[in-house]
Amino acid sequence: AAAAAMLAQTAAATEAAETVQSELTVIWLHSAESQHLINSMGPGGRSLLELWKASWEPQENGAYCAPASAVAALRLLKFPSASAWNQTRIFNEVLQPLGLFTAGVSLEHGARMMQGLGAGELLVEERCILDPVEAEAKLHDDLRAAFGEEQGSAPPTCILANYRRWVPGRGGGHWSPLGGWSEK
């Protein structure tokens, strides 16, 4: 069975980026609140979170959020070629030569990046839903499928989110893997 990577971009996240950023509260991984949320996930979700924690690495520079997410996804999905790739190599050998890095990496270009890195062995689903209600419902379904107990023996699903966030003086787009989810 092919491993799966989902790339998601929602209008709701894009439209509300400035509002959400001002209302956002960071929950640190080792805080009591974080541990409560982690414990509210089922065993499958907690197991996937542990895989994400082992697969993740910080960005090598501010422009490498998409390559950093790709490296983590390849590791999580246990691609044989994962150890051959690093963030700089993805940027220099995939994103730049294919013209996938313009003013950042768009959702469409991120999908092409993952398809190229997957060499035909990676099912990449791209989601760009403009209706906020529909986007939230689909994201909820995708999160439940990735982190819920109904995942069973299916290969892990990796969700990479491409969203707008405003960083003064530096633009507003970002890529990040989603490493956990709880309905609570």
Side-chain angles (χ1 to χ4, degrees):
M6 271 186 226
L7 308 174
Q9 181 181 49
T10 65
T14 299
E15 291 173 4
E18 289 82 9
T19 304
V20 169
Q21 183 177 2
S22 68
E23 297 174 5
L24 184 65
T25 301
V26 173
I27 301 172
W28 299 105
L29 182 61
H30 298 292
S31 70
E33 185 175 0
S34 174
Q35 294 307 304
H36 174 73
L37 290 170
I38 291 168
N39 290 334
S40 72
M41 293 192 297
R46 287 191 302 272
S47 175
L48 188 56
L49 174 61
E50 290 305 313
L51 287 173
W52 268 120
K53 287 166 47 180
S55 302
W56 180 85
E57 68 182 26
Q59 290 175 225
E60 291 175 2
N61 76 47
Y64 282 12
C65 56
S69 296
V71 167
L74 293 173
R75 290 177 184 163
L76 175 97
L77 298 170
K78 299 183 174 141
F79 261 72
S81 66
S83 63
W85 289 105
N86 62 47
Q87 295 173 39
T88 300
R89 185 167 175 226
I90 290 171
F91 187 83
N92 291 333
E93 296 180 26
V94 178
L95 293 173
Q96 282 190 320
L98 297 177
L100 302 178
F101 188 90
T102 53
V105 179
S106 69
L107 180 65
E108 176 187 357
H109 289 170
R112 288 181 50 204
M113 171 188 68
M114 291 305 298
Q115 289 164 342
L117 293 169
E121 298 296 317
L122 181 63
L123 171 64
V124 177
E125 295 182 32
E126 179 183 347
R127 304 243 199 285
C128 184
I129 302 169
L130 297 177
D131 176 33
V133 174
E134 180 186 353
E136 185 175 337
K138 186 58 185 159
L139 181 59
H140 188 264
D141 291 345
D142 291 341
L143 289 166
R144 182 176 285 127
F147 295 102
E149 295 315 304
E150 59 271 8
Q151 183 183 11
S153 62
T157 296
C158 161
I159 300 176
L160 303 180
N162 174 234
Y163 55 94
R164 182 182 165 135
R165 69 171 186 179
W166 179 248
V167 178
R170 291 185 39 211
H174 188 61
W175 279 93
S176 184
L178 301 183
W181 174 75
S182 171
E183 293 218 40
K184 296 180 180 174

